[in-house]
């Protein structure tokens, strides 16, 4: 665990507990902290350069979000994610992404449309090189812009929490044969529907994309 967390900027305007939550959450999402790894409050506090109290508060919040599990008399661990968890997350995301796409079709601006298109072009270039970290990064930005265009902060917060829980394994889906090409087509259909200001078509394109992403991910995990 040591050395994988940067010290917290004590001059930050966000509450200290939230800063700690973000630091630990990002470490889990990036794979620097792996499923099943034990989290020690003392070590976390030392790495972050803070006292144990905000670390303890952050861990309680992360437990409620599903990122960590606290086992009596054993300690706190990075949560494993099961096939059942993945199914539940995608069931929720399906409805939320359809709503976000529908709202974006009504509220997106020209700059956001241009940025989504730019990310699609970049994704295509990185896909040819099989540069998966950059493909995943472009995919994240594409969806970030879409969600922001929905103009509903609570919706974005809920979706991002669900996305974070899948970050460690999302690349497995994209690495499956043919998935990148299909993903690009799905993203293009989604963007075209949003650009056409067609909420129903946008919601349907989002549904197809999420359903295919879940199907491919589950197939890849079942091969393990």
């Amino acid at each position: 665990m040591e050395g994988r967390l940067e010290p917290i900027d004590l001059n930050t305007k966000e509450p200290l507990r939230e800063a700690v939550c973000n630091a630990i959450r990002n470490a889990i999402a990036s794979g620097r902290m792996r499923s099943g790894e034990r989290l020690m409050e003392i070590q976390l506090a030392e790495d972050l350069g803070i006292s144990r109290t905000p670390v303890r508060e952050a861990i309680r919040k992360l437990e409620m979000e599903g990122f960590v599990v606290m086992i009596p008399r054993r300690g706190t661990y990075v949560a494993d994610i099961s096939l059942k968890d993945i199914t539940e997350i995608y069931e929720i995301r399906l409805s939320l992404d359809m709503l976000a796409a529908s709202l974006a079709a009504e509220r997106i601006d020209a700059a956001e449309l241009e940025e989504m298109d730019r990310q699609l072009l970049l994704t295509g270039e990185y896909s040819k090189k099989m540069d998966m970290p950059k493909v995943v990064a472009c995919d994240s930005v594409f969806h970030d812009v879409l969600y922001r265009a929905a103009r509903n902060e609570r919706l974005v917060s809920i979706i991002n929490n669900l996305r974070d829980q899948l970050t460690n394994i999302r690349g497995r889906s994209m690495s499956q044969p043919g998935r990148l090409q299909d993903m690009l087509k799905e993203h293009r259909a989604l963007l075209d529907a949003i650009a056409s200001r067609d909420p129903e078509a946008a919601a349907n394109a989002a549904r197809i994309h999420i359903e295919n992403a879940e199907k491919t991910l589950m197939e890849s995990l079942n091969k393990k």
Side-chain angles (χ1 to χ4, degrees):
M1 187 189 309
E2 186 175 0
R4 284 179 287 168
L5 293 175
E6 295 292 329
I8 294 291
D9 179 4
L10 298 178
N11 294 319
T12 180
K13 293 182 179 179
E14 68 177 337
L16 190 54
R17 185 191 72 165
E18 292 304 314
V20 176
C21 273
N22 289 334
I24 298 175
R25 191 187 294 116
N26 290 338
I28 293 172
S30 67
R32 284 177 285 140
M33 291 180 175
R34 299 185 178 278
S35 298
E37 179 177 329
R38 187 175 183 183
L39 302 181
M40 308 292 290
E41 283 185 14
I42 295 177
Q43 184 65 62
L44 289 171
E46 288 180 359
D47 288 347
L48 295 169
I50 56 175
S51 69
R52 292 175 62 180
T53 299
V55 172
R56 189 176 300 117
E57 293 173 351
I59 285 176
R60 291 193 187 116
K61 185 173 188 291
L62 291 168
E63 181 186 30
M64 288 189 290
E65 293 178 357
F67 285 96
V68 306
V69 291
M70 299 175 70
I71 303 174
R73 297 182 296 279
R74 288 186 55 192
T76 302
Y77 297 83
V78 177
D80 288 316
I81 187 165
S82 66
L83 295 181
K84 180 175 180 291
D85 293 328
I86 294 171
T87 298
E88 291 178 352
I89 290 171
Y90 270 106
E91 282 179 347
I92 300 169
R93 271 204 63 189
L94 180 64
S95 295
L96 296 181
D97 273 55
M98 289 176 67
L99 174 59
S102 176
L103 293 174
E106 298 174 346
R107 302 171 179 177
I108 198 166
D109 62 32
E112 289 165 334
L113 284 170
E114 183 178 341
E115 179 60 19
M116 289 179 70
D117 186 65
R118 190 174 80 87
Q119 293 302 322
L120 268 186
L121 294 174
L122 287 173
T123 303
E125 292 301 313
Y126 294 135
S127 296
K128 294 174 184 176
K129 303 173 184 177
M130 288 305 292
D131 189 336
M132 295 310 298
K134 290 184 178 178
V135 168
V136 172
C138 288
D139 175 72
S140 294
V141 174
F142 178 89
H143 285 282
D144 285 342
V145 177
L146 187 159
Y147 299 144
R148 184 169 68 247
R151 307 287 186 263
N152 187 314
E153 293 182 4
R154 287 177 174 80
L155 176 62
V156 174
S157 177
I158 295 169
I159 291 176
N160 283 338
N161 175 262
L162 295 171
R163 289 170 74 201
D164 286 343
Q165 294 180 50
L166 293 173
T167 298
N168 277 345
I169 57 176
R170 195 155 51 100
R172 289 184 60 97
S173 171
M174 296 183 189
S175 298
Q176 297 304 299
R179 179 56 195 155
L180 281 181
Q181 290 72 27
D182 290 341
M183 184 186 78
L184 283 168
K185 292 176 183 177
E186 292 160 13
H187 278 184
R188 176 56 64 186
L190 178 56
L191 179 55
D192 288 347
I194 291 173
S196 298
R197 309 289 178 176
D198 188 333
E200 185 176 347
N204 187 57
R207 176 187 60 78
I208 292 171
H209 175 57
I210 293 297
E211 286 179 344
N212 287 342
E214 179 189 8
K215 178 182 177 182
T216 307
L217 177 58
M218 295 296 278
E219 288 175 351
S220 72
L221 293 173
N222 281 321
K223 291 177 182 178
K224 292 175 64 178

